Amino acid sequence: MYLIINILGIFAFIGFAFLFSKDKKKINWKAIGILVVFNAFLAWLLIAFPLGRWFVEQAAISFSWLIDTAFSGVGLAFSSMVNVENMDMVFSALMPILLVVPLFDILTYFGVLPKIIKGLGWGLSKLTGQPKFESFYAIEMMFLGNTEALAVSSGQLKSMSQERLLTVSLMSMSCVSAAMIGVYIQMLPAQFVLTAIPLNIINAIIITSILNPVVVTKEEDVIFEMNKEEKPPFFSFLGESILGAGKLILIITAMLISFVALAALIDKVLHLFAPWLSLSNILGVIMTPFSFLLGLPIGEAFQTAQYMGTKLVTNEFVVMADIMPIMDSFSPHMMAVLSTFLVSFANFSTIGMILGCFNGILKKEQADNLSKGVWMMILSGTLVSLLSAAMVGLYVW
């Protein structure tokens, strides 16, 4: 019965996007159908097919090796905090960023990563039949992150129509950057992290094509040359990259502390009105119908909904830190759908980052118009995460 509910959930999430579509008559249902089937197949390939599982396992081993290598440097500076049985989350999950981010930046500096992005973007465009830029942008987000991809593509964004800019803003809610994979696999099962990332890319195209269908002419369907600045000397570049990675750790740590403290403050205020009233309970009630459609029994659906709601109003790290000690108590299906849902930047703080980036690129009128679509941005990111979770959930019970 729960498998049937899970299948119905996929159609329900697509139907929910259709309900809020800006132009229902322009939706290309043939393309949507192809993408849904392809993504369901991709989920099966990476979760249930032996060769696909082997590939995911090897990728996870590679990232684990990278993380272990990072600790050789972290351990030198903080031996008393690293060489212990239970490391603090900042050291176990975040400190490896000091190796992972510079590594991806080095690949970009020498032109390796741009070639990979270009090749995958071209293939995705052919597969989906979507405009070339939107396909390339999806791949850029997967490797670079949303704000970095926006900055790289700023030249083309300035020349795009308001409708396509809205599509880009909606897609920006559904990514995670490759540099964060090493963090996530320290906190969640690696197979779900590595599966969620490509699923989110395709599902972002599915959901945005329904919410904001745009017809692009052949003349408009082009890719501009990306911003190319004169390369600084390598070691100067590397130093900036390392400093940027350090800032990222501080930002994530500060946000984690602040959001957890704010959530605790809200709970204390709510307890003044009723002892059972809490932020997680309120969010659980709101999100339970959606988590139930992921094929969860009602008890697990409410618990999962609490985590989902908390992630949307805070960030994924708050929830990951919360569930790490108790993951073994979750059923396999609950662990699969919850882990997949968490692997995205879809939350309210991300909206501010995206709109801030657009404000620095576009004219004021264009940026202001995008600000009016904030509700669509959070809707898009949430539906993409739900759709990815539902597809992974099909194969884990």
Side-chain angles (χ1 to χ4, degrees), residues 40-221:
F41 169 76
L42 183 61
W44 169 81
L45 184 68
L46 297 176
I47 293 294
F49 186 61
L51 185 60
R53 286 204 309 269
W54 177 86
F55 174 80
V56 171
E57 288 169 1
Q58 297 309 305
I61 290 171
S62 299
F63 272 100
S64 295
W65 174 83
L66 188 64
I67 298 305
D68 290 341
T69 304
F71 280 120
S72 62
V74 178
L76 178 64
F78 300 100
S79 58
S80 63
M81 297 183 181
V82 171
N83 300 318
V84 295
E85 185 175 348
N86 295 310
M87 277 191 288
D88 293 334
M89 195 201 76
V90 170
F91 288 91
S92 64
L94 299 184
M95 282 298 183
I97 288 176
L98 289 169
L99 173 63
V100 178
V101 169
L103 175 62
F104 277 92
D105 284 343
I106 290 170
L107 292 176
T108 301
Y109 184 88
F110 289 108
V112 176
L113 199 54
K115 289 180 180 178
I116 295 174
I117 291 173
K118 185 175 181 180
L120 292 177
W122 179 87
L124 184 60
S125 177
K126 292 294 183 183
L127 170 69
T128 63
Q130 295 299 305
K132 294 185 180 68
F133 175 78
E134 281 78 347
S135 299
F136 277 69
Y137 180 72
I139 300 299
E140 283 178 349
M141 287 194 304
M142 184 170 70
F143 285 99
L144 305 177
N146 43 26
T147 54
E148 292 85 350
L150 287 171
V152 168
S153 304
S154 60
Q156 181 148 0
L157 292 171
K158 293 175 182 177
S159 67
M160 289 173 63
S161 67
Q162 194 69 41
E163 290 78 12
R164 292 183 74 186
L165 288 173
L166 177 59
T167 294
V168 172
S169 71
L170 299 182
M171 292 178 67
S172 299
M173 293 295 295
S174 305
C175 77
V176 296
S177 61
M180 299 305 297
I181 295 175
V183 179
Y184 288 153
I185 65 172
Q186 299 299 301
M187 306 178 78
L188 296 173
Q191 68 176 126
F192 302 129
V193 173
L194 294 168
T195 301
I197 292 171
L199 292 187
N200 285 345
I201 295 301
I202 303 296
N203 285 331
I205 295 175
I206 292 172
I207 295 299
T208 55
S209 297
I210 298 174
L211 286 174
N212 187 50
V214 178
V215 177
V216 179
T217 65
K218 187 175 181 180
E219 292 74 21
E220 293 176 309
D221 192 17

Side-chain angles (χ1 to χ4, degrees), residues 157-158 160 162 165 354-373:
L157 292 171
K158 293 175 182 177
M160 289 173 63
Q162 194 69 41
L165 288 173
I354 294 170
L355 292 180
C357 196
F358 274 119
N359 279 320
I361 295 172
L362 305 175
K363 296 178 181 178
K364 185 177 186 303
E365 183 181 356
Q366 290 177 303
D368 289 344
N369 284 333
L370 289 178
S371 298
K372 297 175 183 178

Side-chain angles (χ1 to χ4, degrees), residues 209-262:
S209 297
I210 298 174
L211 286 174
N212 187 50
V214 178
V215 177
V216 179
T217 65
K218 187 175 181 180
E219 292 74 21
E220 293 176 309
D221 192 17
V222 294
I223 297 289
F224 289 7
E225 283 293 319
M226 301 305 175
N227 295 342
K228 291 184 178 180
E229 300 178 356
E230 185 177 348
K231 288 183 179 179
F234 175 73
F235 286 102
S236 174
F237 168 85
L238 183 59
E240 288 294 324
S241 174
I242 294 170
L243 288 175
K247 291 176 183 177
L248 181 59
I249 293 174
L250 291 175
I251 290 169
I252 294 174
T253 303
M255 290 180 66
L256 180 64
I257 294 170
S258 182
F259 276 123
V260 170
L262 285 171

